[in-house]
């Protein structure tokens, strides 16, 4: 994992990643601040960020705790939200690098943003570099900022005013939409990204998003994106050239 | 507080187990190309679903107009291959500006 980091591509990976780090940092500060303001001791958000390391699951679990839902409901909510990381880990299983340490450490760094970053790259070396650059940076920034927020309290102003809640969906848009644009529409179309033999990815993603949005008001958090996988039924196999 | 410790541990171990699925299976189980491509497709479908629900919903309800409007602008920019920085900052600034103008 060291040699790809010295190539010129590292600069662009760091530049793009740093925006995600910045946005995640602000969210981390607010997570720490909200947890402590709600009455939890400083170590709870800090330890949670280190060992769970999943922003949305942490917010949900603490939200359930602070709402008086109890630890069982808090853990169940967080776990339900994180089931998707199993699918993500399968998608990046082969890009972490050889060796037990890379796999054991890399697994902990699997997050929505880092997986999206890695999969947005074309060649394997760049995918690996993107995963580690984005992942290590995000882990560091997230934890430092949660600690800062837990100690510093509510020094941070109203984050909604900064539009940061729009930044995360926009990050995902920037990372997945270019690949979808290149996706061929039908089974006869050729020239998909990454030499995939699949087609109809755009249809599948759109249908999945519609399903997720439609069920959001009625099912527990975390379930909508899992149900989006039903969209995969629309993925077809490209006719051989 | 021990219940909280147990909650954090269960959440941490469970999450790590989910995350370890792929790295553990890789190299041990011979995953066919077709399945690997489906897994990559599944990741894209999940990410787009996260994008849609993250843009439009908040706590099971509508997130208001300012956020989806900003994300929509970001999505259009991304579709037209604008640089990453432009997409993300464009979305955040648009949402912030709309809120400043009184749009929720």
């Amino acid at each position: 994992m060291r040699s790809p980091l010295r190539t010129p591509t590292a600069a662009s990976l760091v530049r793009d990643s740093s925006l995600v780090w910045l946005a995640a940092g602000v969210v981390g500060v607010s997570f720490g601040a909200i947890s402590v303001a709600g009455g939890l001791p400083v170590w709870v958000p800090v330890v949670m960020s280190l060992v769970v390391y999943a922003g949305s699951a942490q917010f949900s679990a603490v939200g359930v705790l602070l709402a008086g839902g109890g630890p069982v409901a808090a853990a169940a909510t967080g776990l339900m939200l994180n089931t998707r990381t199993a699918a993500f880990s399968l998608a990046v299983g082969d890009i972490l690098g050889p060796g037990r340490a890379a796999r054991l450490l890399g697994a902990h760094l699997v997050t929505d943003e880092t997986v999206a970053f890695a999969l947005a790259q074309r060649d394997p070396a760049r995918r690996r570099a993107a995963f580690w650059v984005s992942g290590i940076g995000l882990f560091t920034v997230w934890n430092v900022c949660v600690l800062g927020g837990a100690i510093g309290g509510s020094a941070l102003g109203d984050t909604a005013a900064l539009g940061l809640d729009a930044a995360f969906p926009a990050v995902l848009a920037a990372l997945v939409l270019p690949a979808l644009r290149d996706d061929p529409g039908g089974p006869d179309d050729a020239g998909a990204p990454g030499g995939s033999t699949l087609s109809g990815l755009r249809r599948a993603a759109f249908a999945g998003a519609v399903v997720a949005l439609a069920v959001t008001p009625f099912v527990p958090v975390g379930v909508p994106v899992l149900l989006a996988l039903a969209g995969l039924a629309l993925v077809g196999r490209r006719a051989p050239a | 507080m021990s219940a909280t410790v147990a909650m954090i541990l269960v959440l941490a171990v469970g999450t790590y187990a989910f995350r370890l699925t792929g790295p553990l299976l890789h190299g041990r189980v011979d995953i066919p190309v077709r399945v690997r491509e489906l897994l990559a497709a599944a990741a894209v479908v999940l990410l787009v679903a996260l994008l849609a629900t993250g843009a439009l919903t908040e706590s099971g309800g509508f997130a208001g107009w300012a956020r989806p409007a900003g994300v929509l602008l970001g999505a259009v920019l991304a579709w037209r291959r604008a640089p990453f920085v432009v997409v993300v900052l464009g979305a955040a600034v648009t949402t912030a500006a709309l809120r400043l103008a009184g749009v929720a």
Side-chain angles (χ1 to χ4, degrees):
Chain A
M1 79 183 238
R2 285 226 168 72
S3 56
L5 297 186
R6 291 213 188 92
T7 61
T9 63
S12 71
L13 290 176
V14 168
R15 192 190 57 222
D16 287 355
S17 295
S18 58
L19 268 180
V20 180
W21 300 337
L22 180 72
V26 178
V27 176
V29 169
S30 54
F31 174 72
I34 287 168
S35 305
V36 172
L40 295 172
V42 168
W43 66 264
V44 170
V46 171
V47 172
M48 208 181 199
S49 295
L50 283 167
V51 301
V52 178
Y53 182 52
S56 55
Q58 289 177 221
F59 265 106
S60 305
V62 162
V64 171
L65 271 191
L66 293 182
V72 174
T77 305
L79 280 177
M80 184 54 84
L81 266 171
N82 283 343
T83 42
R84 68 173 185 275
T85 58
F88 284 137
S89 85
L90 285 164
V92 298
D94 57 340
I95 68 173
L96 300 183
R100 184 185 291 248
R103 287 182 202 182
L104 293 181
L105 279 177
H108 193 51
L109 300 180
V110 171
T111 59
D112 304 338
E113 290 82 10
T114 296
V115 168
F117 245 99
L119 294 182
Q121 316 301 322
R122 290 290 164 114
D123 66 278
R126 244 188 99 88
R127 285 184 169 207
R128 184 168 301 172
F131 180 87
W132 287 100
V133 168
S134 151
I136 292 173
L138 190 59
F139 184 80
T140 309
V141 169
W142 176 253
N143 282 290
V144 167
C145 289
V146 169
L147 177 65
I151 294 171
S154 49
L156 196 73
D158 179 18
T159 55
L162 302 173
L164 279 164
D165 51 325
F168 279 99
V171 163
L172 297 178
L175 293 171
V176 299
L177 291 188
L180 278 188
R181 177 186 156 143
D182 295 341
D183 179 63
D188 302 327
D189 211 336
S196 172
T197 61
L198 298 179
S199 67
L201 188 53
R202 207 186 296 163
R203 262 196 323 256
F206 182 77
V210 169
V211 168
L213 287 173
V215 301
T216 293
F218 313 109
V219 297
V221 286
V223 175
V225 291
L226 294 179
L227 293 179
L229 289 174
L232 281 177
L234 297 179
V235 167
R237 182 177 252 173
R238 177 167 308 113
Chain B
M1 200 45 71
S2 62
T4 306
V5 175
M7 182 277 280
I8 293 175
L9 278 181
V10 167
L11 188 50
V13 170
T15 301
Y16 189 65
F18 288 139
R19 285 174 165 151
L20 208 52
T21 319
L24 266 195
L25 286 183
H26 177 70
R28 277 160 219 240
V29 182
D30 195 18
I31 304 172
V33 176
R34 168 88 176 147
V35 175
R36 249 182 285 151
E37 287 177 348
L38 264 181
L39 290 171
V44 172
V45 171
L46 282 175
L47 289 170
V48 172
L50 281 170
L51 156 58
T53 53
L56 288 164
T57 69
E58 177 73 50
S59 311
F62 182 50
W65 294 102
R67 190 198 301 171
V71 177
L72 180 64
L73 178 89
V76 170
L77 289 170
W79 193 259
R80 306 187 66 172
R81 296 183 202 283
F84 186 79
V85 182
V86 175
V87 173
V88 177
L89 289 186
V93 168
T94 304
T95 297
L98 285 172
R99 289 204 175 116
L100 196 64
V103 179

